[in-house]
Amino acid sequence: MTKDVIALTPKMPDTRSLIAGLSAGGPDLGLTSTGDGGVLQLCTRVGRPLVSVEAPLLIHIPGEAERLLGPDVSAPPPPYWWTETRASTSVPEAEALAESLCGRLTTLLGGTVWPRAAGTTRVVAIPQDQSADDAQEVVAPFAPTVPSVDVLTESTAVVISDRPILAFTTWLSDVLRTASATNRALHLVTPPHTRLTLPLRTALRGAPNRWVIQAPAGGFYDGLSGVPLAWQQGTFLPTGTTVVDAFTQQTEPTPERQLTVTFRTVHAPTDDLVLGRGLETAWRHLTGAAPVGWSTSEPVNLPWSPRQLTDLARDRSPASTHLVAIGAPDQPSIATLRITRTKAGVAQDIALTHGYTSATDVPLDAIEALASALVDEHGLVTMLTTLRAARADLTLTPRLEAPPLPLSFTLGARDVNAIGLTHARRPPVALRPRQLGTHAHPALHYLLSDGTDSGAWTALQDLTAHLKAAPGAG
């Protein structure tokens, strides 16, 4: 199991301090880096991986360390530097080396080490008598630009972690991207107490990737579906269809809620187009404030700036761009944003989720006004809002949770025009859509439920089937 150790320092880890940290393993270790220099990897003389060190991130976002590492972490006030290390399973001494590396950084630069007990400054003796044949027995990097995973087979890359909260880090993003490029699945193996952040849950969506839970009593099960799993033929495969008891264990009904707004906007690719403004509009309607930060992964480290994220998307075009945005710590909120170039223009697919400690705190009355603003100002194509009973901190546990219930569905003016206003406004269900937009370019907003009616899914299915059946529907 990899061991993650993080140094949080008020000063930037410069070359001098990094050399001091890396010297904890002595002078005979090798050093490699990814193609973009984003990850350094410390290796033994025969190439056995020891510790990977991600490029330090300057964190401007208050509360980000607490969100991902827990309330007991004592991070410096922002801005501060986040340097993440990962000890390999290939050599027993690697964990001590990661701890000493981070301990030396904080000794020189101030700050703290997470976990708190991990920081040391001792010299770690690394055995150097392995032969080249021995080195072949351990898991090596499966691509020259990605640090090693815990287990690698022809079909699967396995990462084993015991972090309390597992996030969509730069390293995991690279592993997932490279696994996909080499036609491999990514399987994350964790104990039952581990929780996933929503961006990581979104990234794992769909086969063949899995979240694998190692049960304390033995055995494995899928953390998203609860089906039992076993390691067979170099991957984790289902061994039945009945979910395990640990996944369905009864818990007290929670008053906490998650409101999710999933929507798509499309704009013409003009020179003055600024992306992210539709997401900011949604944030302001639901919280009264803009997002506080954005990034390509977690931790979220950059202050919110639509112009900067637009510049990044332009640089990456025509490839798509995947981003994460975060809100203030006192109002849990997080979004994923995917920017793609399509025949219709520049599309932004957004999933924005807010957490509330009580159902009475959910701003249901703000949803229609939000839909109207997105129609009028941001080229809304579709919008679906759902409400579910789930953790207000927006993390996911490996247990059965109530499914989200749809609140409303909004159809933008372009699709209303293609379907036909008369057909679109008369679905074969008891729905009376509200007309948004202008008289010449109307959009429709369908109210489905107040978040307590499980029959709302049937109503949504009937509505979408009616819309797709229109003569002009694509």
Side-chain angles (χ1 to χ4, degrees), residues 225-299:
S225 68
V227 299
L229 303 172
W231 181 255
Q232 300 174 357
Q233 304 171 6
T235 192
F236 284 99
L237 294 174
T239 59
T241 58
T242 303
V243 300
V244 301
D245 292 340
F247 186 75
T248 58
Q249 62 185 357
Q250 295 297 319
T251 58
E252 292 295 325
T254 177
E256 298 175 273
R257 294 292 186 270
Q258 291 180 8
L259 174 68
T260 299
V261 182
T262 305
F263 63 99
R264 164 174 270 219
T265 65
V266 175
H267 293 275
T270 59
D271 290 340
D272 59 350
L273 174 63
V274 178
L275 303 171
R277 286 180 170 170
L279 175 58
E280 181 173 329
T281 294
W283 225 296
R284 289 187 182 278
H285 270 77
L286 296 174
T287 70
V292 297
W294 73 283
S295 185
T296 57
S297 59
E298 296 176 288

Side-chain angles (χ1 to χ4, degrees), residues 142-156:
F142 63 96
T145 58
V146 179
S148 63
V149 295
D150 291 290
V151 178
L152 182 69
T153 70
E154 291 184 359
S155 65
T156 306

Side-chain angles (χ1 to χ4, degrees), residues 292-328:
V292 297
W294 73 283
S295 185
T296 57
S297 59
E298 296 176 288
V300 176
N301 66 311
L302 300 172
W304 176 248
S305 173
R307 291 196 175 276
Q308 288 183 0
L309 69 86
T310 300
D311 290 341
L312 176 65
R314 288 186 189 277
D315 289 342
R316 292 185 172 185
S317 183
S320 60
T321 298
H322 299 256
L323 305 173
V324 179
I326 196 81

Side-chain angles (χ1 to χ4, degrees), residues 162-187:
D162 65 350
R163 285 172 75 152
I165 299 175
L166 200 54
F168 190 48
T169 63
T170 300
W171 177 72
L172 270 182
S173 173
D174 288 344
V175 170
L176 182 60
R177 181 168 52 251
T178 305
S180 177
T182 56
N183 295 316
R184 288 182 170 95
L186 172 60
H187 288 182

